[in-house]
Amino acid sequence: MRYKINVMSYHKKQEFKSDEIKASEIAKALSHPARISILKFLAQQKSCICNDIVEHLPLSQSTVSQHLKELKNVGLIQGEIDGPRVCYCIDKENWKKAKAIMIELFDMNLAPIKIKCC
Amino acid sequence: MRYKINVMSYHKKQEFKSDEIKASEIAKALSHPARISILKFLAQQKSCICNDIVEHLPLSQSTVSQHLKELKNVGLIQGEIDGPRVCYCIDKENWKKAKAIMIELFDMNLAPIKIKCC
DNA sequence: TAAATCTATCGTATATTTGCGATATAAAAT
DNA sequence: ATTTTATATCGCAAATATACGATAGATTTA
């Protein structure tokens, strides 16, 4: 095959379509069981106090804090200072948007036409 | 707060629930725009020939091969040798399963009860 | 048979993620 | 005022992910 000439670089992500980047960012936020667990915990609203989340996970407080930060950065949760604590909760608006993006991805038209194999 | 005692270790993923791990693995497979792009390309069945996928992406052949391997490992695609080429396609059965898992995650009951904040 | 084509894998470099303890800060409790 | 509690962030170490070129192996074409 004709070899592609590629410039030595390590960040190619920006060369993709913005909707593909967006979907991948949502997926990345969900790509660690701790973050899935945090979201489930918040959805069940057993509590939204940060420390309760920490107690719920087999991870140190600082590690949990980092996972919370990632979920916050991608917009899936919100944090609100409540006296000495921080109350986290799912950002329902962004959650819906994320859901729509992922569903659109999974609803891709799986054409039943057999081209070669498949 | 009482500090948790944690053994120095780098692999805590296995300490989570298996359904959380499963969801995170699917999400991880989707956490790079190149892999999203590959799946969309295959869904549209513009082709399922490996080399056409390589031509479609701004990445080298070896890098694309690695992304294909990850998608294959998680079960979202299948590869079939077709003479000198390899024909990749979406594993429709596993795709459906993955979709169900992600939809279940996004359909988490977002309790409307206000506990503290939220 | 030799050359060309296609793909996977190896080796390697860099970037990012994951994890922890320590610590800084802020509020609450004593 | 001091101590306790709660949280974020810093600094570091290890693991994993991302990317490439080179190359091996297999197949097809010339």
Side-chain angles (χ1 to χ4, degrees), chain B residues 65-103:
Chain B
S65 191
Q66 280 182 88
H67 284 303
L68 288 167
K69 193 180 180 181
E70 280 183 73
L71 289 171
K72 213 164 81 174
N73 285 345
V74 84
L76 291 177
I77 65 172
Q78 289 176 313
E80 192 185 304
I81 293 167
D82 171 39
R85 304 153 207 271
V86 175
C87 180
Y88 282 103
C89 54
I90 290 175
D91 185 318
K92 293 186 186 182
E93 210 51 53
N94 286 339
W95 185 255
K96 270 187 220 167
K97 285 180 191 167
K99 178 181 173 177
I101 287 167
M102 295 311 282
I103 283 182

Side-chain angles (χ1 to χ4, degrees), chain B residues 51-69:
Chain B
N51 188 241
D52 292 338
I53 300 167
V54 173
E55 294 295 324
H56 180 247
L57 297 176
L59 297 169
S60 73
Q61 181 268 322
S62 60
T63 303
V64 173
S65 191
Q66 280 182 88
H67 284 303
L68 288 167
K69 193 180 180 181

Side-chain angles (χ1 to χ4, degrees), chain B residues 17-43:
Chain B
K17 291 177 190 163
S18 65
D19 64 323
E20 292 168 353
I21 293 169
K22 184 65 191 165
S24 73
E25 284 171 349
I26 293 164
K28 190 140 78 80
L30 303 174
S31 72
H32 194 290
R35 294 192 288 271
I36 301 270
S37 186
I38 289 168
L39 290 166
K40 283 192 173 177
F41 187 79
L42 291 178

